[in-house]
Amino acid sequence: MNTTKIVEGVFGETVLEHVLRDIQQSFNRSKLFAPWLEAERTKRKDEGRRQRQRRRDKHIQVKLGHGGTLDPMATGVLIVGVGKGTKHLQNFLNCTKTYEATVLFGAATDTYDVLGKLLNKAPYTHVTREKVEAALNKFRGPIKQKPPLYSALRMDGKRLYEYAREGKEIPREIQERPVTTESLEIREWLPGGYHPYTWPNEEADEEQKTVADKILHLSTASEGVNDDPPDIDEPSNPSITKGRKRRRPIEDEDDAEIGITLAAKRQEISPIALMSGARQESESSDCATALAAERTTPAGIKSPVEAQPSLGTLPSPGEPPAAKLSMTVTSGFYVRSLCHDLGHEVGSLGIMSELVRTRQAEFELGRNVLEYEDLRKAEDVWAPQVVRVLEGWREKMTEKPENDPPNHTP
């Protein structure tokens, strides 16, 4: 392998949270990116004193950035830019994405997912696959969607999640935003007792519930469903939130919508696709590539096959049903909001309990992304793969104009 060549570009990867920092450290120590680091040192020597003083980070590292964040509990494809490839990351913020998500019915939380505090419960025994199938029609095509309170959108110069964390009411209603759902289907229906998903154990206090209800209007969620609903037992399965810390604040799933471009604000770098929940801004080399880490199940959650009761046993009738959904959506779409709104639409409540981004632009799990686990191995394992995907990306870029957006279809 030629170790004097400067590699840059964009790639896709499947990884977990904080992956960019780990990748950057591997790249910094590698022979592959030694030429890039040396070129950066030479460039900085030629800079004026004022420009050098403006640099917040005096330490030279491989320049990395990413093309859109993931939800804190999510895994999936993340576009990563290396070096000059970061200049192309803005294009990936506005492309379509495909997700697989699990919605659990009967409860609502302040974050719209299982990492939040329990705000309310609602009847769920009437929720069937047929009802959910019918309700999904409302969320297909061009729709208006209200972002969650726990998001990085700004209101009067302040992040929404900051209002939530401080227990303060927001100045006005969160406005709905236009998004498009290109496809939305049920992949699997999970009756109560046939899945491992449960509501969170931590419950919001009365003051938090009061503030949340003024924004989310949860008290009306179950009106008209059942005037005298039966007692709802707490699920018997261990909570999937056990041992987890609530990782907030949540950043907007699509930073382009709030004017944040994480890559290309500092050094030049190419984009990459990763499977990750990471959202750090790092420095990396001038290429773009797509990485794919081994797809994992969140800690403490069994796979659907492992979660199935043994033959001859029956599920507990007191546990809420869940549904695995597959969707392709446009920029600015919140999967957590979909789960929340779907619960309302079927006369109950709903929270997101699992999320995987399976595709972003042309980068897709199992097809053209790098495995994060490979990047944690010796350089002679991951370096040839990185070179291959970055060269493939550069070849594709030479075939189309500089400002052309990436492929928006699977």
Side-chain angles (χ1 to χ4, degrees):
M1 181 185 305
N2 183 0
T3 58
T4 62
K5 181 179 179 180
I6 296 178
V7 291
E8 301 175 304
V10 177
F11 65 92
E13 182 186 12
T14 59
V15 291
L16 304 177
E17 196 163 4
H18 307 310
V19 62
L20 288 188
R21 183 177 302 165
D22 295 340
I23 295 174
Q24 186 182 50
Q25 292 175 356
S26 295
F27 286 2
N28 288 341
R29 298 189 299 264
S30 69
K31 295 179 181 178
L32 178 64
F33 288 95
W36 188 94
L37 291 169
E38 183 59 33
E40 183 66 13
R41 291 187 189 97
T42 301
K43 184 177 76 171
R44 292 193 184 188
K45 288 179 181 178
D46 296 333
E47 292 177 345
R49 188 176 71 174
R50 182 172 297 180
Q51 187 173 359
R52 288 197 301 270
Q53 290 176 341
R54 284 203 304 264
R55 290 189 180 276
R56 288 181 289 178
D57 186 5
K58 308 298 183 182
H59 180 59
I60 297 177
Q61 301 188 77
V62 175
K63 184 179 179 182
L64 293 178
H66 66 79
T69 62
L70 276 172
D71 203 79
M73 65 177 295
T75 60
V77 175
L78 179 66
I79 307 297
V80 175
V82 186
K84 292 180 180 177
T86 54
K87 292 182 176 180
H88 301 272
L89 292 176
Q90 180 67 39
N91 290 334
F92 291 96
L93 294 176
N94 299 319
C95 64
T96 60
K97 306 171 183 70
T98 299
Y99 295 95
E100 292 181 3
T102 301
V103 54
L104 180 65
F105 295 99
T109 67
D110 54 355
T111 60
Y112 291 7
D113 61 25
V114 295
L115 299 181
K117 293 182 179 180
L118 198 62
L119 293 175
N120 203 358
K121 301 175 185 176
Y124 53 75
T125 54
H126 66 285
V127 180
T128 62
R129 176 169 186 151
E130 290 72 25
K131 287 183 179 292
V132 175
E133 290 274 16
L136 290 181
N137 289 325
K138 182 177 180 179
F139 302 99
R140 295 187 177 107
I143 63 172
K144 293 289 187 68
Q145 186 187 66
K146 182 180 292 187
L149 177 60
Y150 272 88
S151 66
L153 300 177
R154 292 184 183 274
M155 184 174 289
D156 292 350
K158 191 173 182 177
R159 303 284 192 189
L160 290 179
Y161 66 71
E162 293 177 335
Y163 289 104
R165 290 171 62 192
E166 296 168 4
K168 297 180 179 178
E169 294 185 34
I170 56 178
R172 54 190 175 277
E173 283 282 324
I174 300 174
Q175 297 299 307
E176 294 181 331
R177 306 191 302 175
V179 293
T180 299
T181 307
E182 295 187 354
S183 65
L184 176 60
E185 304 295 337
I186 293 182
R187 292 185 59 251
E188 186 178 5
W189 178 254
L190 303 171
Y194 279 99
H195 61 78
Y197 307 104
T198 60
W199 302 332
N201 289 329
E202 187 177 6
E203 189 169 347
D205 59 36
E206 290 305 316
E207 183 178 356
Q208 291 172 322
K209 290 181 178 180
T210 300
V211 172
D213 191 57
K214 292 180 179 180
I215 302 170
L216 308 179
H217 312 297
L218 296 176
S219 59
T220 61
S222 59
E223 289 182 2
V225 174
N226 192 333
D227 293 334
D228 188 20
D231 292 336
I232 301 175
D233 297 329
E234 290 289 343
S236 59
N237 286 330
S239 172
I240 66 174
T241 61
K242 184 178 180 181
R244 282 183 176 172
K245 293 181 180 179
R246 296 179 67 245
R247 291 165 286 179
R248 304 293 174 186
I250 293 178
E251 298 213 11
D252 194 348
E253 279 88 337
D254 192 333
D255 288 336
E257 293 296 322
I258 57 174
I260 297 178
T261 306
L262 291 180
K265 274 194 174 178
R266 299 179 185 170
Q267 291 180 310
E268 296 180 345
I269 164 177
S270 300
I272 297 175
L274 311 175
M275 171 175 176
S276 171
R279 48 175 76 73
Q280 291 88 347
E281 181 177 2
S282 310
E283 293 188 351
S284 91
S285 61
D286 301 342
C287 7
T289 182
L291 307 177
E294 179 180 357
R295 183 168 167 182
T296 58
T297 304
I301 306 179
K302 296 180 179 180
S303 68
V305 175
E306 294 172 326
Q308 295 294 335
S310 58
L311 191 62
T313 63
L314 295 175
S316 170
E319 296 186 5
K324 286 185 175 293
L325 307 176
S326 177
M327 68 202 76
T328 296
V329 297
T330 57
S331 174
F333 189 95
Y334 283 89
V335 180
R336 283 182 289 132
S337 288
L338 171 67
C339 295
H340 177 83
D341 297 342
L342 181 60
H344 278 271
E345 191 65 19
V346 296
S348 182
L349 296 172
I351 53 177
M352 188 181 76
S353 55
E354 191 175 25
L355 180 65
V356 179
R357 182 191 285 166
T358 60
R359 183 189 62 82
Q360 183 175 358
E362 67 265 31
F363 295 109
E364 186 174 3
L365 286 183
R367 190 170 67 87
N368 59 350
V369 292
L370 300 180
E371 296 289 337
Y372 174 59
E373 289 302 318
D374 287 343
L375 292 177
R376 300 179 65 183
K377 298 177 182 178
E379 182 178 352
D380 58 358
V381 174
W382 59 259
Q385 299 182 50
V386 171
V387 170
R388 173 178 52 82
V389 293
L390 292 181
E391 288 180 347
W393 179 83
R394 284 196 297 268
E395 290 175 359
K396 175 174 283 190
M397 292 303 297
T398 59
E399 297 172 357
K400 59 183 178 181
E402 179 76 13
N403 296 324
D404 272 10
N407 183 14
H408 284 200
T409 58

